[in-house]
C-alpha cells in the first residue's frame, strides 16, 4: 500500500517528468528523446536482468513491444507463482509512470493459467497493484459524470471478470486497491460490489460439493466418486484389488489395476432376491464429471422385471403401530385434489442396480475380479449368469430391454 | 397504440416466422419490435435480402396451417365451456402438482429446440433423443470451450435445450400460467455436471426480450434418478448472460419457455436425461424472493 504522502510525491514527480517530456518534444521533436528522458529520470534503477533485456529489446524496435515477451523469457526457466510475481515486480520497478500498464495487465491475465496462478487471489491483487494510484480517480462532477479513463477502467473490470470466471471472491485488499485506483463509484468498483453480492450467495450452492483439489491417489478418487454416486450413507466401499506394479522373475512388468466397488445394504437385499434364471449385466463405462475431471464407473444391474413376474411385497404390519399402512376397503376413497402431492406420470421402467465399481482398466478380466469379490458377500452371483456389456467409449446410461446377442455369457461358478 | 405500424413492420422483417406461418399469422400476433436484431456472427455480412423474397408460398402448407389453426380455435372455444384453459374448475383451483412436460413418445421431442455454440462458431455438439425405453429425454453431446477465432468472441462452450414458445390459434402467443405453484420439480439424471435452468417469461418492452430467470441445477451423477425441487423465489434475473443489478421475482403467470444450459468449461462428452418437468406447490416454502436489494447509490 502506498501512503498518502508517497502518492503525492509520486504525483509531483510525475507532473515534473511530464513537463520535461513536453519540453524535450518541443526542443527536439523526436520520440526517442521522450524515452531517453524518462530513463534518465528513473529514480529507482532496476537490478534484474529481465528488465534490462526488455529495455534493450525495446530500443531495437520501438514500434511494437509486446509484454508477452517478458513472460515468455521468464517462462523458459520455470512457470511458477514466484517467477510470475517477479515479472510483475520488474514491470513495476521499470518505469515510475507505469507506461503501458494496461497492455501489460492484459498480457499478465492471459499468461496466468500458464503459470498456474489463475486461482490465486494474492496474485490478482498484485496485478491490480500495477495500476497507478489516484490518477484515475475522478476529481470533479464532470469527470464523475463521464467515463473517466475508460481504457483503464475496462482493464480493471477485466481483471475482476477473470477472477469471477475462476470463482474467486475478492477480499478487502482488492477493495482498498480499487478505491485507491479508480475511486468509490467507478466501474471496477461496481463490478466488485456485484461480485461481493452474488458470490457469497452462490458459493455453497452445490448440494454435492466437489473439492477444488481432487485426491491424487486413484483409490481415494474412486472412493470419493463412488460414495457420491451411491447416494446412500450406509453404502460400503470395498477395495477388491490394490494397484501394484512389479517386475517378475522373467523381467516382465506385471501390473494389476485397482478395483474399487461399492454396495449398499439395500442393493445387497435386492440382489439376494434376484431370480437366478435371469442374467445380470455388467455395463459401462459411464462418465462422471467432477469439475474438470472425468472418471468412469461400471454398474452391475439386471433387466427390468416383466409385469407378470412382479410381486407386490406385503407391507410389514409392524412398521407402524399407530395407523394401518394399507387399507383393504372396497370404498371409493378418492383423495381430495388439494391434498394430492403426487405427480401424474408413469414410472420409468428400469432394471435395478446392484453394485457399482471403478477400475483402473475397463477390460473383462479386471471386472471379473470385481464380480468374484462381490461373491463373498452375495453368494447368489455364483449361481447367476453374468453378461459383460462393455464398450470402449463412454455411453449413455440406459437400461436396455434386450441384451446384445453377440456377447457370450460369462459364468461364475 | 402508436406502436402498431412499427410492430407490423418489424414482424414483417422477421422472415423466419413468415416461412413457418401463413401470412396472416404474424400480423395478428403481438410480437415485439426487434431493435437489437438477431445475432450476427462477427465478420459475416448483413442479410440484406428483402422480406418479400423470403416468403416461400406453399399452398399445401397453407391449407395445413389453416386446418391446424381452426382445430386449435375450436379447442379454445369449446374448452371455455369445460373450465379455464380447457380444464375443470376443480382441477384449476385445487391441483397441487402439474406435470408440464413429460417425455413419453417421439412427438414429445418436437416441442424442444436444441442449440449449441455452433451458432457462434464454436465446436460443441448437442443432440436430443428419446431414451432407450422411449420414456425419457436424453440430451447428449460434446462440449468444447475453444472460442471461435473471429477476433471478437472471447468465451465459448455452451449447449442448450429450450422448449418452444406455445402458440394459440392463428399464431398468437400463449403463456403458461403457473401461479398456482411455487416450485419447479424435475426428475433428472446427469453425469455430475452443473446445469442452468432458464425460464423465459413474457416481458412488455422489447429490450427485455433477452431477459431470463436462471437457477442452477446440480446433478449428482450415477445410475440413480434425482428429484430436484427449485422454488421460483430462487430464480434470478439475467440478460444476455449477465446477472442484472435490479432483481425482481419471476412472473409465473406469463412463462414462455424453459431451458437447460450447460457451460461449465469442462471439455468432453455430457449427457442429461430428463424424466419429467413438473410444478408443485411446496407449502413449507414461504419465501417470496431470495435476493434483497440494497439502496442503489448509497453515500460512501
Amino acid at each position: 500500500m502506498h501512503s498518502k504522502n508517497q502518492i503525492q510525491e509520486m504525483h509531483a514527480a510525475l507532473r515534473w517528468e511530464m513537463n520535461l517530456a513536453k519540453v524535450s518534444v518541443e526542443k527536439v521533436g523526436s520520440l526517442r528523446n521522450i524515452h531517453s528522458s524518462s530513463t534518465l529520470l528513473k529514480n529507482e534503477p532496476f537490478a534484474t536482468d529481465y528488465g534490462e533485456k526488455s529495455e534493450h529489446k525495446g530500443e531495437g524496435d520501438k514500434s511494437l513491444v509486446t509484454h508477452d515477451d517478458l513472460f515468455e523469457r521468464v517462462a523458459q526457466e520455470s512457470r511458477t507463482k514466484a517467477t510470475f510475481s517477479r515479472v510483475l515486480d520488474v514491470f513495476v520497478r521499470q518505469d515510475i509512470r507505469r507506461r503501458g500498464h494496461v497492455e501489460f495487465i492484459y498480457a499478465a491475465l492471459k499468461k496466468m493459467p500458464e503459470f498456474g496462478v489463475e486461482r490465486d487471489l494474492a496474485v490478482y491483487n498484485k496485478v491490480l497493484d500495477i495500476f497507478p494510484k489516484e490518477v484515475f480517480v475522478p476529481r470533479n462532477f464532470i469527470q464523475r459524470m463521464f467515463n473517466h479513463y475508460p481504457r483503464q477502467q475496462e482493464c480493471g473490470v477485466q481483471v475482476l471478470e477473470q477472477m469471477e470466471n475462476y470463482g474467486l471472491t475478492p477480499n478487502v485488499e482488492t477493495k482498498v486497491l480499487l478505491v485507491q485506483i479508480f475511486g468509490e463509484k467507478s466501474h471496477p468498483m461496481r463490478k466488485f460490489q456485484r461480485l461481493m453480492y452474488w458470490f457469497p450467495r452462490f458459493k455453497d450452492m452445490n448440494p454435492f460439493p466437489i473439492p477444488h483439489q481432487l485426491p491424487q491417489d486413484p483409490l481415494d478418487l474412486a472412493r470419493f466418486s463412488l460414495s457420491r454416486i451411491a447416494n446412500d450413507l450406509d453404502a460400503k466401499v470395498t477395495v477388491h484389488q490394490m494397484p501394484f506394479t512389479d517386475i517378475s522373475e522373467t523381467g516382465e512388468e506385471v501390473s494389476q489395476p485397482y478395483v474399487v466397488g461399492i454396495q449398499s445394504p439395500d442393493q445387497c437385499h435386492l440382489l439376494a432376491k434376484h431370480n437366478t434364471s435371469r442374467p445380470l449385466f455388467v455395463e459401462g463405462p459411464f462418465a462422471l464429471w467432477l469439475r474438470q475431471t472425468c472418471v468412469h464407473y461400471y454398474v452391475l444391474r439386471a433387466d427390468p422385471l416383466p409385469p407378470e413376474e412382479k410381486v407386490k411385497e406385503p407391507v410389514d404390519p409392524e412398521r407402524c403401530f399407530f395407523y394401518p399402512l394399507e387399507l383393504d376397503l372396497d370404498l371409493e376413497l378418492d383423495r381430495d385434489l388439494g391434498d394430492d402431492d403426487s405427480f401424474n406420470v408413469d414410472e420409468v421402467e428400469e432394471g435395478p442396480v446392484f453394485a457399482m465399481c471403478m477400475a483402473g482398466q475397463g477390460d473383462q478380466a479386471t471386472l471379473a475380479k470385481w464380480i468374484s469379490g462381490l461373491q463373498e458377500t452375495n453368494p447368489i452371483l455364483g449361481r447367476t449368469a453374468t453378461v459383460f456389456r462393455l464398450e470402449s467409449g463412454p455411453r449413455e446410461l440406459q437400461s436396455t430391454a434386450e441384451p446384445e446377442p453377440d456377447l457370450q455369457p460369462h459364468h461364475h461358478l | 397504440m402508436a406502436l402498431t405500424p412499427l410492430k407490423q413492420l418489424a414482424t414483417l422483417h422477421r422472415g423466419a416466422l413468415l416461412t413457418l406461418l401463413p401470412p396472416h399469422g404474424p400480423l395478428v400476433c403481438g410480437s415485439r419490435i426487434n431493435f437489437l436484431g438477431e445475432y450476427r456472427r462477427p465478420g459475416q455480412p448483413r442479410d440484406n435480402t428483402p422480406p418479400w423474397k423470403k416468403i416461400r408460398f406453399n399452398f399445401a402448407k397453407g391449407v395445413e396451417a389453416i386446418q391446424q389453426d381452426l382445430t386449435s380455435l375450436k379447442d379454445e372455444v369449446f374448452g371455455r365451456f369445460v373450465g379455464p384453459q380447457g380444464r375443470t374448475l376443480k382441477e384449476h383451483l385445487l391441483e397441487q402438482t402439474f406435470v408440464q412436460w413429460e417425455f413419453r413418445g417421439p412427438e414429445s421431442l418436437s416441442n424442444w429446440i436444441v442449440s449449441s455454440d455452433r451458432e457462434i462458431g464454436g465446436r460443441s455438439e448437442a443432440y436430443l433423443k428419446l431414451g432407450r425405453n422411449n420414456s425419457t429425454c436424453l440430451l447428449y453431446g460434446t462440449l468444447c470451450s475453444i472460442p471461435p477465432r473471429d477476433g471478437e468472441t472471447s468465451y465459448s462452450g455452451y449447449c442448450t435445450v429450450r422448449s418452444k414458445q406455445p402458440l394459440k390459434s392463428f399464431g398468437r402467443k400463449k403463456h403458461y400460467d403457473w401461479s398456482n405453484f411455487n416450485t419447479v420439480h424435475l426428475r433428472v439424471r446427469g453425469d455430475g455436471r452443473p446445469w442452468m435452468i432458464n425460464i423465459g417469461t413474457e416481458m412488455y418492452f422489447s429490450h427485455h426480450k433477452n431477459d431470463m430467470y436462471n437457477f442452477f441445477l446440480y446433478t449428482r451423477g450415477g445410475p440413480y434418478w434425482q428429484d430436484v425441487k427449485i422454488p421460483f423465489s430462487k430464480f434470478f434475473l439475467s440478460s444476455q448472460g449477465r446477472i442484472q443489478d435490479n432483481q425482481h421475482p419471476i412472473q409465473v403467470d406469463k412463462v414462455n419457455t424453459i431451458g437447460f444450459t450447460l457451460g461449465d468449461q469442462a471439455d468432453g462428452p455430457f449427457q442429461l436425461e430428463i424424466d419429467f418437468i413438473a410444478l408443485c406447490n411446496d407449502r413449507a416454502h414461504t419465501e417470496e424472493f431470495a435476493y434483497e436489494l440494497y439502496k442503489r447509490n448509497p453515500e460512501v
Side-chain angles (χ1 to χ4, degrees):
Chain A
M1 289 309 116
H2 293 257
S3 71
K4 195 108 185 171
N5 277 336
Q6 260 181 321
I7 292 165
Q8 276 171 356
E9 272 174 35
M10 263 172 57
H11 267 287
L14 215 115
R15 257 174 250 137
W16 186 58
E17 272 182 282
M18 279 163 73
N19 284 338
L20 211 108
K22 261 186 224 157
V23 169
S24 63
V25 168
E26 280 161 16
K27 272 186 185 166
V28 190
S30 104
L31 216 69
R32 187 172 294 263
N33 275 315
I34 304 178
H35 282 269
S36 61
S37 73
S38 72
T39 45
L40 279 177
L41 278 164
K42 214 164 283 171
N43 51 358
E44 203 179 343
F46 43 86
T48 21
D49 50 340
Y50 304 123
E52 279 170 20
K53 265 193 229 161
S54 78
E55 200 203 30
H56 187 72
K57 182 123 191 265
E59 278 187 20
D61 54 333
K62 278 247 161 59
S63 55
L64 272 174
V65 184
T66 58
H67 291 289
D68 295 2
D69 269 10
L70 210 54
F71 288 102
E72 283 300 325
R73 270 205 299 280
V74 175
Q76 286 165 6
E77 291 176 20
S78 63
R79 292 163 193 259
T80 56
K81 187 184 169 184
T83 48
F84 191 85
S85 46
R86 210 157 76 218
V87 177
L88 300 189
D89 285 338
V90 166
F91 180 82
V92 168
R93 267 185 274 126
Q94 229 174 28
D95 186 358
I96 191 165
R97 298 178 199 170
R98 314 268 164 93
R99 179 176 284 136
H101 64 270
V102 172
E103 290 80 6
F104 179 77
I105 287 171
Y106 278 129
L109 286 182
K110 222 162 91 186
K111 292 282 168 190
M112 275 176 112
E114 280 180 32
F115 283 76
V117 290
E118 76 275 12
R119 287 195 50 83
D120 197 328
L121 187 57
V123 176
Y124 280 99
N125 284 341
K126 206 161 169 158
V127 168
L128 273 181
D129 205 10
I130 293 174
F131 281 110
K133 311 290 176 304
E134 296 207 356
V135 185
F136 310 135
V137 181
R139 293 185 203 173
N140 51 42
F141 73 97
I142 293 178
Q143 289 180 348
R144 209 164 286 129
M145 199 156 59
F146 293 102
N147 206 356
H148 199 43
Y149 282 99
R151 275 186 74 225
Q152 281 79 1
Q153 290 206 38
E154 267 169 33
C155 183
V157 170
Q158 193 59 42
V159 175
L160 287 169
E161 186 165 322
Q162 186 159 336
M163 284 169 79
E164 181 192 354
N165 287 346
Y166 285 107
L168 282 181
T169 318
N171 59 2
V172 185
E173 200 185 333
T174 322
K175 181 177 184 177
V176 172
L177 277 168
L178 287 174
V179 169
Q180 278 185 341
I181 299 162
F182 297 110
E184 292 278 3
K185 291 182 180 177
S186 53
H187 292 298
M189 197 58 202
R190 295 292 191 214
K191 179 84 187 171
F192 169 83
Q193 285 166 341
R194 282 173 197 134
L195 286 186
M196 291 311 281
Y197 182 86
W198 291 107
F199 265 29
R201 276 169 181 75
F202 294 157
K203 210 172 189 178
D204 302 312
M205 190 70 89
N206 195 343
F208 322 110
I210 310 166
H212 272 290
Q213 283 288 329
L214 285 174
Q216 292 296 316
D217 184 23
L219 280 184
D220 289 341
L221 187 65
R223 267 193 205 105
F224 173 74
S225 352
L226 284 175
S227 45
R228 178 187 161 101
I229 60 176
N231 193 11
D232 191 346
L233 292 177
D234 295 330
K236 219 176 94 198
V237 179
T238 322
V239 182
H240 294 290
Q241 181 169 287
M242 291 293 281
F244 81 88
T245 10
D246 200 9
I247 292 166
S248 67
E249 291 169 4
T250 53
E252 291 169 34
E253 196 172 316
V254 181
S255 69
Q256 62 177 28
Y258 65 91
V259 180
V260 184
I262 193 167
Q263 197 180 30
S264 66
D266 289 348
Q267 290 172 336
C268 212
H269 289 313
L270 264 182
L271 185 52
K273 276 187 247 160
H274 181 71
N275 184 359
T276 46
S277 62
R278 302 188 146 268
L280 294 168
F281 300 103
V282 176
E283 290 181 358
F286 304 114
L288 171 71
W289 283 88
L290 307 164
R291 284 188 202 278
Q292 310 287 319
T293 40
C294 183
V295 292
H296 293 100
Y297 62 94
Y298 300 85
V299 164
L300 176 70
R301 75 182 327 158
D303 272 342
L305 278 176
E308 65 271 11
E309 271 190 43
K310 268 181 205 161
V311 268
K312 196 156 184 290
E313 295 259 325
V315 179
D316 183 10
E318 290 184 9
R319 230 176 73 189
C320 179
F321 292 117
F322 303 105
Y323 53 89
L325 290 172
E326 273 184 326
L327 268 184
D328 205 11
L329 295 174
D330 205 17
L331 292 171
E332 280 293 317
L333 278 180
D334 199 9
R335 281 188 91 181
D336 184 35
L337 198 58
D339 280 339
D340 190 7
D341 281 339
S342 59
F343 292 99
N344 184 20
V345 275
D346 308 330
E347 279 286 312
V348 178
E349 290 287 322
E350 280 192 342
V353 176
F354 297 127
M356 287 165 283
C357 96
M358 281 174 67
Q361 284 173 14
D363 53 351
Q364 191 167 329
T366 315
L367 293 172
K369 278 181 188 151
W370 171 47
I371 299 297
S372 51
L374 272 180
Q375 264 190 56
E376 292 172 13
T377 46
N378 305 283
I380 193 172
L381 279 173
R383 306 191 297 273
T384 318
T386 311
V387 183
F388 285 83
R389 291 200 287 209
L390 306 177
E391 287 193 5
S392 52
R395 44 176 283 182
E396 57 179 289
L397 186 58
Q398 285 290 315
S399 69
T400 43
E402 69 283 348
E404 278 96 339
D406 53 327
L407 282 166
Q408 293 301 314
H410 177 93
H411 288 269
H412 284 275
L413 296 172
Chain B
M1 283 294 282
L3 281 176
T4 323
L6 257 179
K7 257 186 188 172
Q8 291 185 352
L9 204 77
T11 47
L12 266 178
H13 275 279
R14 292 173 52 170
L17 258 181
L18 281 177
T19 53
L20 290 175
L21 298 165
H24 60 266
L27 291 182
V28 180
C29 83
S31 72
R32 278 191 222 100
I33 310 161
N34 207 344
F35 280 121
L36 300 169
E38 298 295 315
Y39 171 77
R40 185 163 56 93
R41 278 189 63 189
Q44 284 202 338
R46 196 178 289 276
D47 183 21
N48 278 329
T49 43
W52 54 87
K53 287 200 177 159
K54 290 179 187 163
I55 300 174
R56 276 175 292 160
F57 186 75
N58 187 340
F59 189 76
K61 232 180 181 176
V63 168
E64 195 184 329
I66 287 173
Q67 272 178 349
Q68 279 175 5
D69 280 341
L70 290 177
T71 317
S72 52
L73 183 69
K74 194 190 93 190
D75 291 344
E76 280 159 33
V77 169
F78 289 106
R80 291 275 172 89
F81 295 114
V82 182
Q85 294 162 8
R87 293 153 66 225
T88 57
L89 191 65
K90 188 184 167 195
E91 266 179 68
H92 181 76
L93 290 178
L94 283 180
E95 66 181 351
Q96 301 294 310
T97 58
F98 180 62
V99 179
Q100 185 73 63
W101 288 281
E102 56 179 329
F103 300 92
R104 305 282 184 266
E107 69 279 355
S108 59
L109 292 188
S110 59
N111 295 331
W112 294 83
I113 302 168
V114 191
S115 69
S116 68
D117 57 14
R118 278 283 164 91
E119 293 177 3
I120 63 163
R123 297 180 210 164
S124 304
E125 293 165 21
Y127 308 99
L128 192 71
K129 69 170 184 186
L130 274 188
R132 220 177 279 174
N133 41 13
N134 277 354
S135 58
T136 51
C137 144
L138 181 76
L139 176 64
Y140 66 102
T142 343
L143 191 76
C144 179
S145 54
I146 301 170
R149 296 168 62 89
D150 54 14
E152 280 181 36
T153 315
S154 44
Y155 305 115
S156 176
Y158 69 86
C159 293
T160 179
V161 63
R162 185 170 68 84
S163 69
K164 274 185 191 159
Q165 162 78 48
L167 292 175
K168 287 193 279 192
S169 57
F170 304 110
R172 292 172 297 161
K173 269 189 183 180
K174 193 165 76 177
H175 314 295
Y176 298 117
D177 183 359
W178 295 345
S179 42
N180 276 359
F181 314 103
N182 64 1
T183 307
V184 186
H185 187 114
L186 305 144
R187 196 142 180 269
V188 294
R189 178 161 65 181
D191 53 356
R193 289 187 189 243
W195 287 73
M196 185 166 258
I197 301 187
N198 317 310
I199 295 183
T201 60
E202 181 70 24
M203 301 279 188
Y204 187 77
F205 294 108
S206 63
H207 64 272
H208 288 158
K209 75 173 176 122
N210 289 315
D211 286 10
M212 278 196 299
Y213 294 88
N214 305 310
F215 199 70
F216 311 104
L217 169 70
Y218 292 100
T219 57
R220 179 188 278 280
Y224 290 111
W225 286 99
Q226 180 190 349
D227 282 295
V228 186
K229 281 169 86 172
I230 302 172
F232 286 130
S233 65
K234 300 276 182 198
F235 281 84
F236 53 86
L237 177 68
S238 78
S239 180
Q240 295 183 304
R242 300 273 175 190
I243 302 188
Q244 298 300 298
D245 285 352
N246 287 329
Q247 293 288 328
H248 52 83
I250 182 170
Q251 282 189 318
V252 279
D253 57 338
K254 287 223 178 284
V255 174
N256 283 339
T257 59
I258 195 168
F260 300 90
T261 307
L262 174 75
D264 64 346
Q265 302 285 310
D267 294 359
F270 67 88
Q271 70 168 29
L272 178 75
E273 216 177 331
I274 307 171
D275 182 2
F276 62 84
I277 301 165
L279 306 152
C280 66
N281 191 12
D282 185 358
R283 287 176 287 266
H285 185 83
T286 52
E287 188 181 54
E288 281 180 9
F289 193 48
Y291 309 105
E292 76 276 16
L293 286 183
Y294 296 137
K295 200 179 166 187
R296 274 193 74 175
N297 219 357
E299 293 79 27
V300 274

